[in-house]
């Protein structure tokens, strides 16, 4: 190691904008569900880079695909075509609702693309531009996605807020009806509010949103940045519900660690875009990122990933119920697939810290919620290890 931990920390403190907490462990290496920090300490990872490295850290299929692509053609810009993007677009469309795809680099960007699509469509359909969003949602950190993110703390000091977004209450159809005006063109919603506290949409809610959109001629946009790509046990979370959206956004785990995002729209909506004018991206869908995306899709076909999510989700929920019975601090356990929340209240930060000290990485969400995002290939042995650590941590708080 060329630099000591102290040197790295002092470089961080002196030269990086403190957008993140720099007292956290410095990670140096990972494999599967395991991560090691600069001190050589091993962690069992139930965060997977916030649902990014979902097939396991340094998945061999993805690592090989990007190594080969990196030695062949990393980038050529969207002025030219490459052989990976169109193939990945077809695979995503075949796995979802047969729409057309635009590739981006992050979740916020994918959502921006969806928001732009809704405005283009609203302009062409009666000159409407408003989008209904939901309290406690999370859609990203750009100015438009921040306006769609109904958590005021993230916008503090950044006024004026981008106009055109109205707020309704998640899982409350009446509040949506009340938020719709003659200016409304779309509804933007997460199938499971992830950052907001792990709240799954109810079936009547999502089906009701679809009906409302059909009645009032609105687009239904689903932010599947966290829930998409198998996290919930279906390839896309909306597939648990008897409805189809008009557009979805994807990011986080699309490249298993390589920045890759996308939004997919109903085929007819794609005609709103004019080449070279309406939308664009320098990096979006470059051959390196889409090589990773193709390797991820191949893993879903070859490695029974969704089957494992469904099996391990059931097992993990059973084990969490065992903790629920033993620890009164647990108020609720909820989620979908391997996106699970444990509501514990104010002691959440202490539990996260205690788990980390004992070698288990977990996240928080919303207010007082522990969020578990294990690898989609997690084993029952790894779940047992995590439960044992959680049990000890819960005993201490
Ligand atoms: C993480 C997340 C985003 C933002 O993704 P970035 O890649 O950080 O821009 C947007 N929506 C949801 C639902 C997310 O979980």
């Amino acid at each position: 190691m060329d630099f000591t931990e102290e040197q790295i920390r002092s470089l961080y403190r002196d030269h990086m904008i403190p957008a993140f907490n720099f007292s956290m462990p410095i990670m140096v290496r990972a494999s599967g569900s395991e991560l090691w920090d600069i001190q050589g300490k091993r962690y069992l990872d139930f965060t997977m880079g916030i649902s990014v490295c979902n097939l396991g850290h340094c998945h061999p299929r993805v690592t090989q695909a990007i190594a080969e692509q990196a030695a062949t053609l990393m980038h050529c810009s969207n002025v030219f075509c490459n052989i990976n993007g169109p193939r990945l677009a077809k695979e995503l469309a075949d796995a979802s609702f047969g729409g057309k795809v635009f590739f981006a680099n992050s979740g916020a960007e994918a959502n921006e693309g969806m928001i732009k699509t809704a405005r283009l469509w609203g302009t062409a359909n009666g000159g409407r531009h408003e989008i209904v969003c939901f309290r406690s949602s999370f859609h990203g950190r750009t100015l438009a996605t921040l306006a769609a993110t109904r958590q005021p703390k993230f916008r503090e000091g950044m006024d004026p807020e981008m106009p055109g977004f109205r707020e309704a209450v998640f899982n409350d159809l009446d509040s949506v009806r009340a938020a719709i005006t003659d200016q409304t063109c779309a509804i933007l919603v997460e199938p499971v509010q992830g950052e907001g506290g792990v709240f799954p949409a109810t079936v009547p809610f999502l089906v009701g949103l679809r009906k409302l959109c059909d009645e009032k001629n609105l687009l239904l946009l689903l932010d599947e940045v966290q829930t998409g790509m198998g996290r919930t046990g279906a390839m896309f979370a909306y597939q648990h519900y008897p409805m189809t959206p008009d557009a979805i956004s994807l990011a986080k785990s699309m490249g298993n660690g390589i920045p890759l995002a996308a939004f997919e729209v109903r085929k007819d909506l794609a005609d709103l875009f004019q080449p070279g004018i309406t939308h664009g991206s320098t990096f979006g869908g470059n051959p390196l990122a889409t090589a990773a995306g193709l390797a991820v899709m191949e893993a879903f076909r070859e490695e029974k990933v969704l089957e494992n999510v469904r099996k391990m989700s059931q097992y993990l929920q059973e084990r969490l119920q065992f903790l629920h019975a033993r620890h009164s601090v647990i108020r609720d356990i909820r989620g979908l697939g391997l996106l699970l929340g444990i509501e514990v209240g104010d002691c959440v930060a202490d539990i996260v810290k205690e788990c980390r000290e004992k070698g288990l990485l977990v996240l928080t969400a919303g207010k007082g919620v522990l969020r578990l995002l294990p690898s989609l290939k997690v084993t029952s042995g790894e779940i047992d290890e995590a439960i044992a650590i959680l049990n000890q941590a819960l005993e201490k708080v």
Side-chain angles (χ1 to χ4, degrees):
M1 189 56 63
D2 294 318
F3 289 86
T4 66
E5 174 161 5
E6 282 60 44
Q7 285 171 322
I8 300 287
R9 287 201 192 280
S10 105
L11 287 171
Y12 198 132
R13 196 170 44 243
D14 294 344
H15 301 287
M16 286 183 67
I17 291 172
F20 304 102
N21 178 354
F22 57 72
S23 68
M24 292 307 236
I26 300 171
M27 300 303 184
V28 292
R29 174 167 82 80
S31 171
S33 292
E34 296 176 298
L35 252 176
W36 286 268
D37 73 12
I38 198 165
Q39 298 173 356
K41 176 169 173 163
R42 170 199 175 268
Y43 302 89
L44 176 61
D45 190 1
F46 269 41
T47 76
M48 300 316 285
I50 318 189
S51 198
V52 167
C53 310
N54 279 1
L55 302 173
H57 289 285
C58 302
H59 188 279
R61 202 184 285 276
V62 179
T63 299
Q64 191 190 341
I66 59 182
E68 280 172 12
Q69 190 64 48
T72 309
L73 176 68
M74 265 194 247
H75 181 83
C76 58
S77 95
N78 287 313
V79 170
F80 308 104
C81 292
N82 71 69
I83 63 171
N84 293 337
R87 287 162 57 211
L88 180 57
K90 174 176 170 26
E91 290 193 22
L92 291 170
D94 287 350
S96 56
F97 53 89
K100 288 191 173 180
V101 173
F102 181 95
F103 291 112
N105 312 290
S106 69
E109 260 184 85
N111 283 331
E112 286 272 345
M114 245 183 357
I115 292 165
K116 285 174 75 173
T117 306
R119 286 197 176 181
L120 285 166
W121 181 83
T123 300
N125 286 269
R128 298 174 281 150
H129 70 278
E130 279 180 5
I131 299 178
V132 176
C133 309
F134 293 90
R135 191 173 299 164
S136 300
S137 59
F138 187 83
H139 298 295
R141 304 291 201 150
T142 60
L143 286 168
T145 58
L146 262 186
T149 292
R150 303 314 299 173
Q151 302 192 53
K153 65 180 179 202
F154 294 135
R155 279 195 302 277
E156 246 166 55
M158 295 175 200
D159 284 346
E161 184 180 326
M162 158 120 20
F165 298 88
R166 287 175 67 89
E167 180 176 313
V169 177
F170 192 69
N171 278 336
D172 177 351
L173 280 174
D174 286 337
S175 77
V176 182
R177 279 189 205 96
I180 293 172
T181 72
D182 59 359
Q183 286 300 308
T184 309
C185 65
I187 296 173
L188 170 61
V189 66
E190 298 156 88
V192 182
Q193 284 195 334
E195 305 297 320
V198 190
F199 291 101
T202 64
V203 172
F205 181 63
L206 266 201
V207 172
L209 287 184
R210 177 72 272 174
K211 277 199 194 124
L212 257 178
C213 285
D214 293 342
E215 258 168 57
K216 310 246 179 210
N217 195 23
L218 314 174
L219 296 182
L220 182 55
L221 318 174
L222 291 190
D223 180 342
E224 291 244 23
V225 168
Q226 189 157 159
T227 56
M229 306 303 293
R231 174 51 67 187
T232 67
M235 198 62 192
F236 306 102
Y238 81 82
Q239 292 166 335
H240 292 287
Y241 300 79
M243 51 78 68
T244 308
D246 300 303
I248 57 174
S249 56
L250 301 168
K252 291 199 162 80
S253 65
M254 271 189 85
N256 209 56
I258 293 286
L260 173 61
F263 66 95
E264 178 187 352
V265 302
R266 230 170 55 200
K267 254 190 175 151
D268 62 293
L269 297 174
D271 298 334
L272 294 161
F273 290 77
Q274 284 183 60
I277 297 171
T278 320
H279 200 41
S281 171
T282 296
F283 291 119
N286 87 6
L288 186 74
T290 44
L294 284 169
V296 165
M297 294 302 283
E298 190 178 86
F300 275 96
R301 284 196 303 277
E302 306 279 327
E303 299 173 22
K304 299 193 166 72
V305 179
L306 293 177
E307 212 176 293
N308 193 64
V309 175
R310 292 192 282 259
K311 265 209 308 250
M312 289 302 124
S313 170
Q314 197 177 355
Y315 182 63
L316 178 51
Q317 289 188 68
E318 279 167 23
R319 302 309 295 147
L320 290 175
Q321 287 305 333
F322 158 81
L323 292 182
H324 196 357
R326 290 175 61 108
H327 301 282
S328 58
V329 65
I330 298 180
R331 298 170 194 172
D332 190 23
I333 294 167
R334 56 180 182 256
L336 202 55
L338 287 173
L339 166 50
L340 294 172
I342 309 166
E343 198 171 317
V344 291
D346 290 340
C347 59
V348 65
D350 295 333
I351 297 175
V352 171
K353 187 158 172 276
E354 196 60 37
C355 284
R356 189 167 64 243
E357 273 162 21
K358 291 177 159 48
L360 172 68
L361 302 175
V362 295
L363 292 164
T364 62
K367 277 199 209 85
V369 179
L370 278 174
R371 180 172 37 149
L372 305 185
L373 291 166
S375 165
L376 305 190
K377 303 195 71 179
V378 69
T379 64
S380 55
E382 288 164 347
I383 289 175
D384 290 342
E385 185 186 344
I387 292 291
I389 295 174
L390 265 172
N391 188 36
Q392 289 171 25
L394 287 160
E395 240 142 52
K396 270 196 89 165
V397 296

